[in-house]
Amino acid sequence: MVRALLVRGMLAGLAAGVVALAVSYLLGEPRVEAAVAFEESHAHGHGHGEELFSRTLQSTGGLATGVLLFGTAVGGVAALAFCFALGRTGRLAPRATAALVSLAALAGLYLVPFLKYPANPPSVGDPDTIGRRTALYVLMMLLGVLLASAAAVLGRALVPRFGAWYASVAAAGALLLAVGLAYALLPGVDEVPADFPATLLWRFRLAALAVQAALWTAFGLLFGELAERVLRPGPAPAAARTPPPLPAPSVR
């Protein structure tokens, strides 16, 4: 059963990656092109070396490869998380459990680090600090996953004493408090040039958020339907349910 759900999770992740790819190409790429044009107009004759891959290849084949591989990989991981969550989240049906896992993944893997370290277009950021910025983002992402998991465990432990509603409120409050402390303790990163268009920056970040929202929404709907069919197969066909006729008695 786990293997069947894992395969379907990867397939749903691949299909969700197609949806995210379309959103990324339609909303994200125009903002990337505008950011690249801004960077080139402010280069003042300083060459950046020859590009290993052209922008055309980056915005087509490179983008498709990255998004589809990412969708397939996170689809498999989310399917395993679904297997763990199924039956541990009350009486939720497979579709509702898949939606809950997708929402938790969007919040923990993306929204929590995004609000602290939002996405920036290519021309924003110092190349010398890319390693530090990446490490901080990954750390915030891991903290988001761990804190969300801890909040879920806390909420489940409080249900027998306070009921489902108050336990959920207490767990959500504890999660917000822990995330707020992490935001306050971790260093900030602000490397946006003063003359960079604020509208372009805002639209780029909204496009990045839309890509992730499209990915996890599509995955939750697709995988929920596939998981429902695996865990709750439909009734057998009428021909299969009809017992074979009794043999006619022999006449002597």
Side-chain angles (χ1 to χ4, degrees), residues 53-79:
F53 301 104
S54 66
R55 271 295 304 151
T56 302
L57 181 60
Q58 293 174 16
S59 62
T60 54
L63 178 65
T65 302
V67 173
L68 295 180
L69 287 178
F70 176 78
T72 304
V74 298
V77 175

Side-chain angles (χ1 to χ4, degrees), residues 19-120:
V19 176
L21 175 62
V23 175
S24 179
Y25 188 79
L26 294 176
L27 297 182
E29 279 304 310
R31 277 70 187 180
V32 174
E33 291 290 347
V36 171
F38 173 86
E39 183 181 25
E40 292 177 349
S41 65
H42 289 68
H44 301 296
H46 297 287
H48 297 283
E50 185 179 355
E51 291 184 341
L52 184 60
F53 301 104
S54 66
R55 271 295 304 151
T56 302
L57 181 60
Q58 293 174 16
S59 62
T60 54
L63 178 65
T65 302
V67 173
L68 295 180
L69 287 178
F70 176 78
T72 304
V74 298
V77 175
L80 296 178
F82 170 87
C83 295
F84 177 79
L86 190 64
R88 294 180 172 88
T89 54
R91 298 181 179 179
L92 293 181
R95 289 192 184 96
T97 304
L100 182 62
V101 169
S102 299
L103 180 61
L106 175 63
L109 290 175
Y110 190 76
L111 286 181
V112 170
F114 176 84
L115 294 176
K116 176 65 176 178
Y117 304 112
N120 288 326

Side-chain angles (χ1 to χ4, degrees), residues 129-157:
T129 63
I130 187 172
R132 174 177 174 270
R133 287 184 282 123
T134 302
L136 287 173
Y137 185 88
V138 172
L139 176 60
M140 194 68 246
M141 183 175 63
L142 293 176
L143 284 176
V145 174
L146 293 176
L147 292 176
S149 302
V153 173
L154 175 64
R156 183 174 176 83

